[in-house]
């Protein structure tokens, strides 16, 4: 029986996410066996520094890609939001699974259960490891203070509950749901309060770009709507040249053949911001096989089973929205944010 080796980070959430992808693959391929290979990444080891300060694009992916390159694993499961918009040569995202809740959630300290961010006392400290969340929420809730909190979900919840330092912390709703901790979600942040990160709530399966066998194997997991939304989001971020060190956020929706993309950029303290919405018509009907001369990758993603025209329209939407913001002066906001972040 053929054994497929699946790479993952060691955290409990990463293991749960990987198990869910393996379960979907087993349903498609009952004759295959899967072996899970867990490893620690740079981002798991450096826990005393804010993510945006480490200045490394592939914090949670590098070691996994190294194993993929050395043929120690055949595929790797990631949170899509951890995957840079430009992958190292030789790698591609071969599948994007159906997106779960992409929003952020607030988890409150036991003594503040029942509150919302709005009703927390003046100068309450809220923990988040993300510049994107801090910038948006500082602007919306000026009475709160935002402080970096690192570690996996278990560690962050323990810090919240046991130290008297934080009144609340902000986490991705999808992660809490996958861990079975829905009961801790005191508030879901909607786009008008806090837009989400590019790719948030979706899982990506990374493979070697030249491994046609694996691309065919995992390609069945592509969820067309999630794929197209995430291509638009990743193209937006790539064109803005945003990464972990600048506050960039998005919101996407598919409705009646239209893909809507809202994207925004913020200064670090949220005082300066710019956001716009654009839409594009997407047709997901005609099937189109790429010729061998086509480079199938768009923003690091290969999806031969989804119409190329639809993928290009989604990519174009992301680029157009980024260009619109750049023309209106977004580059200045991002440059200042980057310089301030580097200086701290």
């Amino acid at each position: 029986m053929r054994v497929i080796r699946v790479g993952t980070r060691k955290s409990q959430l990463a293991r749960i996410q990987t198990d869910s992808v393996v379960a979907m693959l087993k349903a498609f391929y009952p004759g295959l066996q899967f072996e899970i290979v867990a490893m620690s990444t740079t981002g798991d080891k450096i826990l005393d520094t804010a993510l945006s300060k480490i200045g490394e694009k592939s914090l949670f992916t590098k070691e996994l890609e190294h194993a993929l390159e050395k043929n120690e694993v055949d595929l790797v499961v990631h949170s899509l939001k951890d995957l840079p918009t430009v992958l190292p040569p030789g790698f591609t995202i071969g599948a994007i699974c159906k997106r779960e809740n992409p929003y952020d959630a607030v988890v409150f300290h036991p003594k503040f259960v029942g509150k919302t961010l709005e009703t927390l006392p003046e100068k309450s400290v809220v923990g988040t490891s993300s510049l994107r969340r801090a910038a948006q929420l500082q602007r919306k809730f000026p009475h709160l203070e935002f402080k970096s909190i690192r570690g996996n979900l278990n560690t962050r919840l323990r810090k919240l509950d046991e130290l008297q330092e934080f009144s609340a912390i902000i986490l991705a709703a999808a992660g809490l749901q996958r861990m079975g901790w829905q009961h801790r979600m005191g508030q879901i942040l909607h786009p008008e309060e806090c837009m989400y990160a590019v790719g948030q709530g979706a899982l990506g399966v990374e493979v070697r770009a030249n491994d046609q066998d694996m691309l065919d194997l995992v390609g069945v997991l592509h969820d067309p709507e999630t794929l197209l939304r995430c291509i638009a989001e990743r193209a937006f971020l790539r064109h803005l040249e945003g990464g972990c060190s600048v506050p960039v956020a998005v919101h996407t929706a598919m409705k009646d053949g239209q893909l809507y993309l809202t994207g925004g950029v913020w200064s670090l303290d949220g005082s300066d911001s710019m956001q716009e919405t654009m839409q594009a018509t997407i047709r997901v009907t005609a099937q189109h096989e790429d010729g061998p001369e086509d480079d199938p990758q768009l923003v690091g993603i290969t999806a031969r089973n989804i119409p190329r025209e639809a993928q290009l329209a989604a990519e174009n939407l992301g680029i157009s929205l980024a260009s619109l913001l750049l023309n209106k002066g977004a580059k200045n906001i991002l440059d200042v944010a980057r310089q301030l972040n580097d200086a701290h």
Side-chain angles (χ1 to χ4, degrees), residues 73-106:
V73 296
D74 301 301
L75 57 103
V76 174
V77 178
H78 302 278
S79 291
L80 186 61
K81 71 181 169 73
D82 291 339
L83 277 166
T85 54
V86 179
L87 296 184
F91 302 104
T92 189
I93 301 164
I96 294 180
C97 308
K98 189 173 173 56
R99 187 177 226 163
E100 291 185 48
N101 185 338
Y103 299 112
D104 288 317
V106 189

Side-chain angles (χ1 to χ4, degrees), residues 194-216:
C194 189
M195 292 201 295
Y196 43 79
V198 165
Q200 186 161 319
L203 299 179
V205 182
E206 190 178 17
V207 297
R208 290 178 289 274
N210 62 359
D211 190 343
Q212 198 49 56
D213 193 24
M214 258 326 113
L215 277 167
D216 292 342

Side-chain angles (χ1 to χ4, degrees), residues 193-302:
E193 295 161 314
C194 189
M195 292 201 295
Y196 43 79
V198 165
Q200 186 161 319
L203 299 179
V205 182
E206 190 178 17
V207 297
R208 290 178 289 274
N210 62 359
D211 190 343
Q212 198 49 56
D213 193 24
M214 258 326 113
L215 277 167
D216 292 342
L217 185 98
V218 302
V220 296
L221 300 180
H222 269 307
D223 175 68
E225 181 178 311
T226 303
L227 169 81
L228 295 168
R229 286 169 61 188
C230 290
I231 284 177
E233 293 172 15
R234 285 171 66 82
F236 171 72
L237 182 64
R238 181 194 269 191
H239 200 67
L240 280 178
E241 292 184 352
C244 255
S245 58
V246 287
V248 173
V250 292
H251 178 259
T252 47
M254 280 275 273
K255 203 174 172 212
D256 304 327
Q258 295 288 311
L259 176 57
Y260 298 86
L261 170 65
T262 302
V265 300
W266 286 261
S267 56
L268 287 190
D269 65 358
S271 59
D272 207 357
S273 82
M274 190 180 282
Q275 66 182 70
E276 291 288 346
T277 302
M278 287 177 89
Q279 68 191 82
T281 304
I282 304 276
R283 291 189 188 83
V284 194
T285 44
Q287 211 60 19
H288 166 65
E289 278 298 314
D290 288 325
E293 73 287 348
D294 291 354
D295 176 13
Q297 282 205 47
L298 291 184
V299 284
I301 301 163
T302 304

Side-chain angles (χ1 to χ4, degrees), residues 14-203:
R15 293 296 303 260
I16 287 171
Q17 293 181 165
T18 301
D19 288 346
S20 75
V21 169
V22 167
M24 287 190 277
L25 285 170
K26 276 182 175 164
F28 279 105
Y29 309 108
L32 293 181
Q33 248 187 325
F34 294 86
E35 179 194 327
I36 292 176
V37 181
M39 54 196 95
S40 290
T41 65
T42 310
D44 296 311
K45 292 170 191 160
I46 306 176
L47 291 174
D48 54 355
T49 312
L51 290 179
S52 55
K53 299 272 186 296
I54 303 171
E56 163 68 71
K57 272 243 168 64
S58 51
L59 271 180
F60 295 111
T61 57
K62 203 181 191 162
E63 285 77 1
L64 296 163
E65 283 171 343
H66 197 52
L68 202 50
E69 188 174 29
K70 294 197 303 199
N71 205 4
E72 290 166 2
V73 296
D74 301 301
L75 57 103
V76 174
V77 178
H78 302 278
S79 291
L80 186 61
K81 71 181 169 73
D82 291 339
L83 277 166
T85 54
V86 179
L87 296 184
F91 302 104
T92 189
I93 301 164
I96 294 180
C97 308
K98 189 173 173 56
R99 187 177 226 163
E100 291 185 48
N101 185 338
Y103 299 112
D104 288 317
V106 189
V107 179
F108 292 92
H109 185 281
K111 69 179 179 210
F112 290 121
V113 166
K115 294 250 186 233
T116 62
L117 289 181
E118 206 149 3
T119 59
L120 276 178
E122 190 82 23
K123 298 261 184 288
S124 292
V125 176
V126 178
T128 171
S129 56
S130 149
L131 295 178
R132 168 188 63 81
R133 292 169 181 150
Q136 292 181 80
L137 295 171
Q138 236 165 328
R139 183 184 176 94
K140 196 87 184 162
F141 305 104
H143 70 293
L144 301 176
E145 290 181 7
F146 293 87
K147 201 176 158 197
S148 175
I149 184 168
R150 288 286 321 280
N152 61 38
L153 283 191
N154 311 56
T155 308
R156 287 191 226 182
L157 281 177
R158 195 167 60 245
K159 284 181 180 175
L160 170 69
D161 291 344
E162 292 175 11
L163 310 175
Q164 297 306 309
E165 192 178 352
F166 300 101
S167 301
I169 58 176
I170 318 287
L171 299 165
L176 287 163
Q177 286 172 338
R178 289 179 189 131
M179 294 284 277
W181 292 341
Q182 293 88 329
H183 62 285
R184 292 298 310 260
M185 299 200 289
Q187 181 181 3
I188 296 276
L189 297 173
H190 292 294
E192 50 282 359
E193 295 161 314
C194 189
M195 292 201 295
Y196 43 79
V198 165
Q200 186 161 319
L203 299 179

Side-chain angles (χ1 to χ4, degrees), residues 323-335:
S323 302
L324 176 64
L325 287 180
L326 289 170
N327 289 340
K328 289 183 147 195
K331 187 169 175 14
N332 191 37
I333 296 176
L334 292 173
D335 286 347

